[in-house]
Amino acid sequence: MRILPISGSLRAASSNSRVVAALALLDVPGVSVSVAHGLGDLPHFNPDLDVDPAPPPVEAFRAQVLAADGLILCSPEYAHGVAGVMKNGLDWLVSVIGVYEKRPAIINTAARALHAPAHMRDNLNVMTAGVVEEASITLPHLPDDLSAEAIVADPALAASLTQALEALADAIRADRDAA
Ligand SMILES: Cc1cc2nc3c(=O)[nH]c(=O)nc-3n(C[C@H](O)[C@H](O)[C@H](O)COP(=O)(O)O)c2cc1C
C-alpha cells in the first residue's frame, strides 16, 4: 500500500511539510509512505500545455501520484482559500486517467483553517473516488520548532497520524475488495 503525502506549502519551516515528513517516518505495517516532491516546480496550469508529453515537472508529479494507492493532502489556507501551489498541483491532475480511482485524505494542520480543507474536499470529491473522512483529521497547533522527528515522538500526534494512515489503507483495501 503506497501512500503519497503532499504538502501545499513551499515555506522552509512549513508545518504542513513537517507533518508530511512525519508521516513518512511512521512505521505502519503494510503501508509505505513516500513524500511528494516537485510541487513547486510545476508551471502554472494551462490547458495549452496539457499535451502529451506534458512539461517534465508535470510528468514527474503525475508519475508520483499514479504510483500511489492513496494521497494525503496537507495545505495551508491563504485568504480563506487553498494555497495556490496545492490547487495548481490538483489542476494538473484533473485530466489524468487513473486519478479518479485514487483515494485521498486531508490532514489539516491548523484548526482555525476551515475554508482550505472544505475547498480541497470539494475538488477531491470531483476528481477522485472520494475523500476518506475516517482518515481526514485536524491536528492541534504545532509549535514552529516541532520537527518531523519530534512529531513522531509525540504519542498523541503519532497516534493520530498512524490512525489516519491505517484508515486510508483500510478504505483502499475495501475499494479493492468491492471491485
Ligand atoms: C498571506 C497569508 C494569508 C493567510 N490566510 C489565512 C487564512 O485565511 N486562514 C487561516 O486560517 N490562516 C491563514 N494564514 C496562516 C497560514 O495558513 C498558516 O500560517 C499555515 O500554518 C501556514 O502553513 P505552513 O506552516 O505549512 O507554511 C495565512 C498566512 C499568510 C502568510
Side-chain angles (χ1 to χ4, degrees):
M1 187 71 63
R2 289 158 299 185
I3 305 298
L4 184 77
I6 306 171
S7 168
S9 177
L10 300 181
R11 207 166 65 84
S14 160
S15 55
N16 287 282
S17 298
R18 282 180 280 128
V19 166
V20 157
L23 286 165
L25 295 175
L26 288 167
D27 190 13
V28 178
V31 175
S32 148
V33 179
S34 69
V35 173
H37 55 86
L39 206 64
D41 299 330
L42 298 176
H44 293 150
F45 178 67
N46 177 350
D48 292 342
L49 300 178
D50 195 1
V51 291
D52 192 15
V58 175
E59 293 288 345
F61 177 58
R62 287 173 169 174
Q64 295 172 64
V65 170
L66 290 175
D69 301 296
L71 315 173
I72 297 183
L73 280 72
C74 299
S75 178
E77 173 168 304
Y78 295 140
H80 287 189
V82 186
V85 168
M86 179 64 85
K87 183 61 169 72
N88 191 47
L90 292 177
D91 287 347
W92 278 113
L93 297 177
V94 171
S95 66
V96 179
I97 292 166
V99 169
Y100 192 73
E101 280 77 44
K102 303 296 177 191
R103 279 294 207 155
I106 297 168
I107 294 184
N108 186 9
T109 61
R112 69 177 179 165
L114 303 175
H115 303 272
H119 292 171
M120 278 195 293
R121 187 169 270 101
D122 259 2
N123 300 151
L124 293 165
N125 281 334
V126 166
M127 294 169 56
T128 72
V131 172
V132 178
E133 295 300 341
E134 299 78 8
S136 298
I137 55 174
T138 296
L139 295 176
H141 174 72
L142 301 173
D144 284 346
D145 60 354
L146 200 67
S147 66
E149 290 76 11
I151 291 172
V152 170
D154 180 300
L157 289 173
S160 295
L161 295 176
T162 298
Q163 182 273 332
L165 284 171
E166 289 172 344
L168 183 56
D170 285 349
I172 293 164
R173 279 189 210 101
D175 283 354
R176 286 181 185 164
D177 290 348

